[in-house]
Amino acid sequence: MIYHQVDGSGPPLLLLNGIAMTAASWQPVAGPLAERFTVIRCDLRGQLMSPGEPPADVGAHVGDVIELLDHLGLDSVHVLATSFGGAVGALLAGRSPARVRSLLTVASADGFTEVMAAEVARWRAGVVESLSSGDRGVLSDVLEPVVYSPAYVEAHREERAFRRSQIAALPKRWFEDLIGLLDSAESFSLADELASIRCPPRVVAAELDGFIPLDRCRALADAIPGAEFRIIEGAGHAVVVEDPAAVVDLALEFFGSAEVG
């Protein structure tokens, strides 16, 4: 069973992590949402609280999520997912439509491109250097210019330094498992799955995303029947961390409407 945490009360809402996130990364979003929803956070296989070799196929995480929902006695949930988690959430909605009441993806794409592959290779090299150099904060230095907007990087120096120290303190196993997750990303292709999604969908892009181009987020929306497309202006890829208030506002509006509908 993958690690999970449940907070709040109300309709069930599942949060799915980006590739280098943990359940704790959602706190600025999960806290406000737990006032209206039963918020379920989890770490996918290979993430911090669910250590171990991650599956080679991104789609295999869907089975883990279904096992978690069964364990919690939940027939269906709303899903809020970002980046890598957005792929897992879309696959869950496409393969098991009855389990997903509505789907909101943030900074996610319809598939893995050569440009994204080159960036992930750079991240992987950063993980390897973090392990070999003795300075595990190197990974933070590699990620920051890509996952945050320039304005955020400039305005949050102290916060970034603290986050670097947090990453540097993570166990060796986390870095090793992250390599496996990064390697699995090449299996990420949603082209044959998205048309099967039947729940209400909303696809949200981050305007200044340095990893997933806006056109790939828009392609994700175009491929899901009835999907609404929104953009969070001024934010980078890690918009869940950079602008949690915008994510909360969009989520409350969307999931509230889905409940009424």
Coordinates of all heavy atoms in Angstrom, one line a residue, residues 129-194:
E129 N 24.9 13.7 -9.9 CA 25.9 14.6 -9.3 C 25.7 14.8 -7.8 O 26.6 14.9 -7.0 CB 26.0 15.9 -10.1 CG 27.1 16.8 -9.6 CD 27.2 18.1 -10.4 OE1 26.5 18.2 -11.4 OE2 28.0 19.0 -9.9
S130 N 24.4 15.0 -7.5 CA 24.1 15.1 -6.0 C 24.6 14.0 -5.2 O 25.1 14.2 -4.1 CB 22.6 15.3 -5.9 OG 22.1 16.5 -6.4
L131 N 24.4 12.8 -5.7 CA 24.9 11.6 -5.0 C 26.4 11.4 -5.0 O 27.0 11.0 -4.0 CB 24.2 10.3 -5.6 CG 22.7 10.2 -5.4 CD1 22.2 9.0 -6.2 CD2 22.5 9.9 -3.9
S132 N 27.0 11.8 -6.1 CA 28.5 11.5 -6.3 C 29.3 12.6 -5.7 O 30.5 12.4 -5.2 CB 28.8 11.3 -7.7 OG 28.6 12.5 -8.5
S133 N 28.8 13.9 -5.6 CA 29.6 15.0 -5.2 C 29.6 15.2 -3.7 O 30.5 15.9 -3.2 CB 29.1 16.3 -5.9 OG 27.8 16.6 -5.3
G134 N 28.6 14.6 -3.0 CA 28.5 14.8 -1.6 C 27.7 16.0 -1.2 O 27.4 16.3 -0.1
D135 N 27.3 16.8 -2.2 CA 26.4 17.9 -2.0 C 25.0 17.6 -2.7 O 24.8 17.8 -3.9 CB 27.0 19.2 -2.6 CG 26.1 20.4 -2.5 OD1 25.0 20.3 -1.8 OD2 26.4 21.5 -3.1
R136 N 24.1 17.1 -1.9 CA 22.8 16.7 -2.4 C 21.9 17.9 -2.8 O 20.9 17.7 -3.4 CB 22.1 15.7 -1.5 CG 22.9 14.4 -1.3 CD 22.3 13.4 -0.4 NE 23.1 12.2 -0.3 CZ 22.8 11.3 0.6 NH1 21.8 11.3 1.4 NH2 23.7 10.2 0.7
G137 N 22.4 19.1 -2.4 CA 21.6 20.2 -2.8 C 21.8 20.6 -4.3 O 21.1 21.5 -4.8
V138 N 22.7 20.0 -5.0 CA 23.0 20.3 -6.4 C 21.7 20.1 -7.2 O 21.4 20.9 -8.1 CB 24.1 19.3 -7.0 CG1 24.1 19.4 -8.5 CG2 25.4 19.7 -6.4
L139 N 20.9 19.1 -6.9 CA 19.6 18.9 -7.6 C 18.8 20.1 -7.6 O 18.1 20.5 -8.6 CB 18.9 17.7 -7.1 CG 17.6 17.4 -7.7 CD1 17.7 17.1 -9.2 CD2 16.9 16.2 -7.1
S140 N 18.7 20.8 -6.4 CA 17.9 22.0 -6.3 C 18.4 23.1 -7.2 O 17.6 23.8 -7.9 CB 17.9 22.5 -4.8 OG 17.2 23.7 -4.7
D141 N 19.7 23.2 -7.3 CA 20.3 24.2 -8.2 C 19.9 23.9 -9.7 O 19.8 24.8 -10.5 CB 21.8 24.2 -8.1 CG 22.3 24.5 -6.7 OD1 21.6 25.2 -6.0 OD2 23.4 24.1 -6.3
V142 N 19.8 22.6 -10.0 CA 19.5 22.2 -11.4 C 18.0 22.5 -11.7 O 17.7 23.0 -12.8 CB 19.8 20.7 -11.6 CG1 19.2 20.2 -12.9 CG2 21.3 20.5 -11.6
L143 N 17.2 22.2 -10.7 CA 15.7 22.3 -11.0 C 15.2 23.8 -10.9 O 14.3 24.1 -11.7 CB 15.0 21.5 -9.9 CG 15.1 20.0 -10.0 CD1 14.4 19.4 -8.8 CD2 14.6 19.4 -11.3
E144 N 15.7 24.6 -10.0 CA 15.1 25.9 -9.8 C 14.9 26.8 -11.0 O 13.8 27.3 -11.2 CB 15.9 26.6 -8.7 CG 15.6 26.2 -7.3 CD 16.2 27.1 -6.3 OE1 17.0 28.0 -6.7 OE2 15.8 27.0 -5.1
P145 N 15.9 26.9 -11.8 CA 15.7 27.9 -13.0 C 14.7 27.4 -14.0 O 14.2 28.2 -14.8 CB 17.1 27.9 -13.6 CG 18.0 27.4 -12.6 CD 17.3 26.4 -11.8
V146 N 14.3 26.1 -13.9 CA 13.4 25.6 -14.9 C 12.0 25.5 -14.3 O 11.0 25.8 -15.0 CB 13.8 24.2 -15.3 CG1 12.8 23.5 -16.3 CG2 15.1 24.3 -16.0
V147 N 11.9 25.1 -13.0 CA 10.5 24.9 -12.5 C 9.9 26.1 -11.8 O 8.7 26.1 -11.6 CB 10.6 23.7 -11.4 CG1 11.1 22.4 -12.1 CG2 11.4 24.1 -10.2
Y148 N 10.6 27.1 -11.6 CA 10.1 28.4 -11.0 C 10.2 29.5 -12.1 O 11.1 29.5 -12.9 CB 10.8 28.8 -9.8 CG 10.6 27.8 -8.6 CD1 11.7 27.1 -8.1 CD2 9.4 27.5 -8.1 CE1 11.6 26.2 -7.1 CE2 9.2 26.6 -7.1 CZ 10.4 26.0 -6.5 OH 10.2 25.1 -5.5
S149 N 9.3 30.5 -12.0 CA 9.4 31.7 -12.8 C 10.6 32.5 -12.4 O 11.0 32.5 -11.2 CB 8.1 32.5 -12.7 OG 8.0 33.1 -11.4
P150 N 11.2 33.3 -13.3 CA 12.3 34.2 -12.9 C 12.0 35.1 -11.7 O 12.8 35.3 -10.8 CB 12.6 34.9 -14.2 CG 12.1 34.0 -15.3 CD 10.9 33.4 -14.7
A151 N 10.8 35.6 -11.7 CA 10.4 36.5 -10.6 C 10.4 35.8 -9.3 O 10.8 36.4 -8.3 CB 9.1 37.2 -10.9
Y152 N 9.9 34.6 -9.3 CA 9.8 33.8 -8.1 C 11.2 33.5 -7.6 O 11.5 33.7 -6.4 CB 9.0 32.5 -8.3 CG 8.9 31.7 -7.0 CD1 7.8 31.9 -6.2 CD2 9.8 30.7 -6.7 CE1 7.7 31.2 -5.0 CE2 9.7 30.0 -5.5 CZ 8.6 30.2 -4.7 OH 8.5 29.5 -3.5
V153 N 12.1 33.1 -8.5 CA 13.5 32.8 -8.1 C 14.1 34.0 -7.4 O 14.8 33.9 -6.4 CB 14.3 32.4 -9.3 CG1 15.8 32.3 -9.0 CG2 13.8 31.0 -9.8
E154 N 13.9 35.2 -8.0 CA 14.5 36.4 -7.5 C 13.9 36.8 -6.2 O 14.7 37.3 -5.3 CB 14.4 37.5 -8.5 CG 15.0 38.9 -8.1 CD 16.5 38.8 -7.9 OE1 17.1 38.0 -8.6 OE2 17.0 39.6 -7.1
A155 N 12.7 36.7 -6.0 CA 12.0 37.2 -4.8 C 12.0 36.3 -3.6 O 11.6 36.7 -2.5 CB 10.5 37.5 -5.1
H156 N 12.4 35.0 -3.8 CA 12.3 34.1 -2.7 C 13.7 33.4 -2.4 O 13.8 32.2 -2.2 CB 11.3 33.0 -3.0 CG 9.9 33.5 -3.1 ND1 9.4 34.1 -4.2 CD2 8.9 33.4 -2.2 CE1 8.1 34.5 -3.9 NE2 7.8 34.0 -2.7
R157 N 14.7 34.2 -2.2 CA 16.0 33.7 -2.0 C 16.1 32.9 -0.7 O 16.7 31.8 -0.7 CB 17.1 34.9 -2.0 CG 17.2 35.6 -3.3 CD 18.2 36.7 -3.3 NE 18.3 37.4 -4.6 CZ 19.2 37.1 -5.5 NH1 20.0 36.0 -5.3 NH2 19.2 37.7 -6.6
E158 N 15.6 33.5 0.4 CA 15.7 32.8 1.7 C 14.9 31.5 1.6 O 15.4 30.4 2.1 CB 15.2 33.7 2.8 CG 16.2 34.8 3.1 CD 15.7 35.6 4.3 OE1 14.8 35.2 5.0 OE2 16.3 36.7 4.5
E159 N 13.7 31.5 1.1 CA 12.9 30.3 1.0 C 13.6 29.3 0.1 O 13.5 28.1 0.5 CB 11.5 30.7 0.4 CG 10.6 29.5 0.4 CD 9.2 30.0 -0.1 OE1 8.9 31.2 -0.1 OE2 8.5 29.1 -0.6
R160 N 14.2 29.7 -1.0 CA 14.9 28.7 -1.8 C 16.1 28.1 -1.1 O 16.3 26.9 -1.3 CB 15.3 29.5 -3.1 CG 14.2 29.8 -4.1 CD 14.6 30.7 -5.2 NE 16.0 30.4 -5.6 CZ 16.9 31.3 -5.8 NH1 16.7 32.6 -5.5 NH2 18.1 30.9 -6.2
A161 N 16.8 28.9 -0.3 CA 17.9 28.4 0.4 C 17.5 27.3 1.4 O 18.1 26.3 1.6 CB 18.7 29.5 1.1
F162 N 16.3 27.6 2.0 CA 15.8 26.6 3.0 C 15.4 25.3 2.3 O 15.6 24.2 2.7 CB 14.6 27.2 3.7 CG 13.9 26.3 4.7 CD1 14.6 25.8 5.8 CD2 12.6 25.8 4.4 CE1 13.9 24.9 6.7 CE2 12.0 24.9 5.2 CZ 12.7 24.5 6.4
R163 N 14.7 25.5 1.1 CA 14.3 24.3 0.4 C 15.5 23.5 -0.1 O 15.4 22.3 -0.2 CB 13.4 24.8 -0.8 CG 12.7 23.6 -1.5 CD 11.6 24.1 -2.5 NE 10.5 24.7 -1.8 CZ 10.1 26.0 -2.0 NH1 10.8 26.7 -2.8 NH2 9.1 26.4 -1.3
R164 N 16.5 24.2 -0.5 CA 17.8 23.5 -0.9 C 18.3 22.7 0.2 O 18.7 21.5 0.0 CB 18.8 24.5 -1.4 CG 20.1 23.8 -2.0 CD 21.2 24.9 -2.3 NE 22.2 24.4 -3.2 CZ 23.2 23.6 -2.8 NH1 23.3 23.2 -1.6 NH2 24.1 23.2 -3.7
S165 N 18.3 23.2 1.4 CA 18.8 22.4 2.6 C 17.9 21.2 2.9 O 18.3 20.2 3.3 CB 18.9 23.3 3.8 OG 17.6 23.7 4.3
Q166 N 16.6 21.4 2.6 CA 15.6 20.3 2.8 C 15.9 19.2 1.8 O 16.0 18.0 2.2 CB 14.2 20.8 2.6 CG 13.6 21.6 3.8 CD 12.2 22.0 3.5 OE1 11.8 22.4 2.5 NE2 11.4 21.7 4.5
I167 N 16.2 19.5 0.6 CA 16.5 18.5 -0.4 C 17.8 17.8 -0.1 O 18.0 16.6 -0.2 CB 16.5 19.2 -1.8 CG1 15.1 19.5 -2.3 CG2 17.2 18.2 -2.9 CD1 15.0 20.3 -3.6
A168 N 18.8 18.6 0.3 CA 20.1 18.1 0.7 C 20.0 17.1 1.8 O 20.9 16.2 1.9 CB 21.1 19.2 1.0
A169 N 19.0 17.2 2.7 CA 18.9 16.4 3.8 C 18.1 15.1 3.5 O 18.0 14.2 4.4 CB 18.2 17.1 5.0
L170 N 17.5 15.0 2.3 CA 16.8 13.8 2.0 C 17.7 12.5 1.9 O 18.8 12.6 1.6 CB 16.0 14.0 0.6 CG 14.9 15.0 0.7 CD1 14.4 15.3 -0.8 CD2 13.7 14.5 1.5
P171 N 17.1 11.4 2.2 CA 17.9 10.2 2.2 C 18.4 9.8 0.9 O 17.8 10.1 -0.2 CB 17.0 9.1 2.8 CG 15.6 9.6 2.6 CD 15.7 11.1 2.6
K172 N 19.5 9.0 0.8 CA 20.1 8.6 -0.4 C 19.0 7.8 -1.3 O 19.0 7.9 -2.5 CB 21.3 7.7 -0.1 CG 22.0 7.1 -1.4 CD 23.1 6.2 -1.0 CE 23.8 5.6 -2.2 NZ 24.9 4.6 -1.8
R173 N 18.2 7.0 -0.6 CA 17.2 6.2 -1.3 C 16.3 7.1 -2.1 O 15.8 6.7 -3.2 CB 16.4 5.4 -0.3 CG 15.4 4.4 -0.9 CD 16.1 3.4 -1.8 NE 15.2 2.6 -2.6 CZ 14.8 1.4 -2.2 NH1 15.2 0.9 -1.0 NH2 14.0 0.7 -2.9
W174 N 15.9 8.3 -1.6 CA 15.0 9.2 -2.4 C 15.6 9.5 -3.7 O 15.0 9.5 -4.7 CB 14.7 10.4 -1.6 CG 13.8 11.4 -2.3 CD1 12.4 11.3 -2.3 CD2 14.2 12.5 -3.1 NE1 11.9 12.3 -3.1 CE2 13.0 13.1 -3.6 CE3 15.4 13.1 -3.4 CZ2 12.9 14.2 -4.4 CZ3 15.4 14.2 -4.2 CH2 14.2 14.8 -4.7
F175 N 16.9 9.9 -3.7 CA 17.6 10.2 -5.0 C 17.7 9.0 -5.9 O 17.4 9.2 -7.1 CB 19.0 10.7 -4.6 CG 19.0 12.1 -4.0 CD1 18.9 12.2 -2.6 CD2 19.2 13.2 -4.7 CE1 19.0 13.4 -2.0 CE2 19.2 14.5 -4.1 CZ 19.1 14.6 -2.7
E176 N 18.0 7.9 -5.4 CA 18.0 6.7 -6.2 C 16.7 6.3 -6.8 O 16.6 6.0 -8.0 CB 18.5 5.5 -5.3 CG 20.0 5.6 -4.9 CD 20.4 4.6 -3.9 OE1 19.5 4.0 -3.2 OE2 21.6 4.4 -3.7
D177 N 15.6 6.4 -6.0 CA 14.3 6.2 -6.5 C 13.9 7.2 -7.6 O 13.1 6.9 -8.5 CB 13.3 6.1 -5.4 CG 13.5 4.9 -4.5 OD1 14.1 3.9 -5.0 OD2 12.9 4.9 -3.4
L178 N 14.3 8.5 -7.4 CA 14.0 9.5 -8.3 C 14.6 9.2 -9.7 O 14.0 9.5 -10.7 CB 14.5 10.9 -7.8 CG 14.2 12.1 -8.7 CD1 12.7 12.2 -9.0 CD2 14.7 13.4 -8.1
I179 N 15.8 8.6 -9.7 CA 16.4 8.2 -11.0 C 15.4 7.3 -11.7 O 15.2 7.4 -12.9 CB 17.7 7.6 -10.8 CG1 18.7 8.7 -10.3 CG2 18.2 6.9 -12.0 CD1 20.1 8.1 -10.0
G180 N 14.9 6.3 -11.0 CA 13.9 5.3 -11.6 C 12.7 6.0 -12.1 O 12.2 5.7 -13.2
L181 N 12.2 7.0 -11.3 CA 11.0 7.7 -11.8 C 11.3 8.5 -13.1 O 10.5 8.5 -14.0 CB 10.5 8.6 -10.7 CG 9.8 8.0 -9.5 CD1 9.6 8.9 -8.3 CD2 8.4 7.5 -9.9
L182 N 12.4 9.2 -13.1 CA 12.8 9.9 -14.3 C 13.0 9.0 -15.5 O 12.5 9.4 -16.6 CB 14.1 10.7 -14.0 CG 14.0 11.9 -13.0 CD1 15.3 12.4 -12.6 CD2 13.1 13.0 -13.5
D183 N 13.6 7.9 -15.3 CA 13.7 6.9 -16.4 C 12.4 6.4 -16.9 O 12.3 6.1 -18.1 CB 14.6 5.7 -15.9 CG 16.1 6.1 -15.7 OD1 16.5 7.2 -16.2 OD2 16.8 5.3 -15.1
S184 N 11.4 6.3 -16.0 CA 10.1 5.8 -16.4 C 9.3 6.8 -17.2 O 8.4 6.5 -17.9 CB 9.3 5.4 -15.2 OG 8.8 6.5 -14.5
A185 N 9.7 8.1 -17.2 CA 9.0 9.1 -17.8 C 8.8 8.9 -19.3 O 7.9 9.4 -20.0 CB 9.6 10.5 -17.5
E186 N 9.8 8.2 -19.9 CA 9.8 8.0 -21.4 C 8.6 7.1 -21.8 O 8.2 7.1 -23.0 CB 11.1 7.4 -21.9 CG 12.2 8.4 -21.8 CD 13.5 8.0 -22.5 OE1 13.4 7.0 -23.3 OE2 14.5 8.5 -22.3
S187 N 8.0 6.4 -20.8 CA 6.8 5.6 -21.1 C 5.5 6.4 -21.1 O 4.5 5.9 -21.4 CB 6.7 4.5 -20.1 OG 6.3 5.0 -18.8
F188 N 5.7 7.7 -20.9 CA 4.5 8.6 -20.7 C 4.0 9.0 -22.0 O 4.5 9.8 -22.7 CB 5.0 9.8 -19.8 CG 4.1 11.0 -19.9 CD1 2.7 10.9 -19.9 CD2 4.7 12.2 -19.8 CE1 2.0 12.0 -19.9 CE2 3.9 13.4 -19.9 CZ 2.6 13.3 -19.9
S189 N 2.8 8.4 -22.4 CA 2.1 8.8 -23.6 C 0.6 8.5 -23.4 O 0.2 7.5 -23.0 CB 2.6 7.9 -24.8 OG 1.8 8.2 -26.0
L190 N -0.1 9.6 -23.6 CA -1.5 9.6 -23.3 C -2.4 9.5 -24.6 O -3.6 9.5 -24.5 CB -2.0 10.8 -22.5 CG -1.2 11.0 -21.1 CD1 -1.7 12.2 -20.4 CD2 -1.3 9.8 -20.3
A191 N -1.8 9.5 -25.7 CA -2.5 9.7 -27.0 C -3.7 8.7 -27.2 O -4.7 9.1 -27.7 CB -1.5 9.6 -28.2
D192 N -3.5 7.5 -26.7 CA -4.5 6.5 -27.0 C -5.5 6.4 -25.8 O -6.4 5.5 -25.8 CB -3.9 5.1 -27.2 CG -3.1 5.1 -28.5 OD1 -3.4 5.9 -29.4 OD2 -2.0 4.4 -28.5
E193 N -5.3 7.2 -24.8 CA -6.1 7.1 -23.5 C -7.1 8.2 -23.3 O -8.2 8.0 -22.7 CB -5.2 7.0 -22.3 CG -4.0 6.0 -22.5 CD -4.4 4.7 -21.9 OE1 -5.5 4.5 -21.4 OE2 -3.5 3.8 -21.9
L194 N -6.8 9.4 -23.8 CA -7.5 10.6 -23.4 C -9.0 10.6 -23.9 O -9.8 11.2 -23.2 CB -6.8 11.8 -23.8 CG -5.4 12.0 -23.2 CD1 -4.7 13.2 -23.9 CD2 -5.4 12.2 -21.7

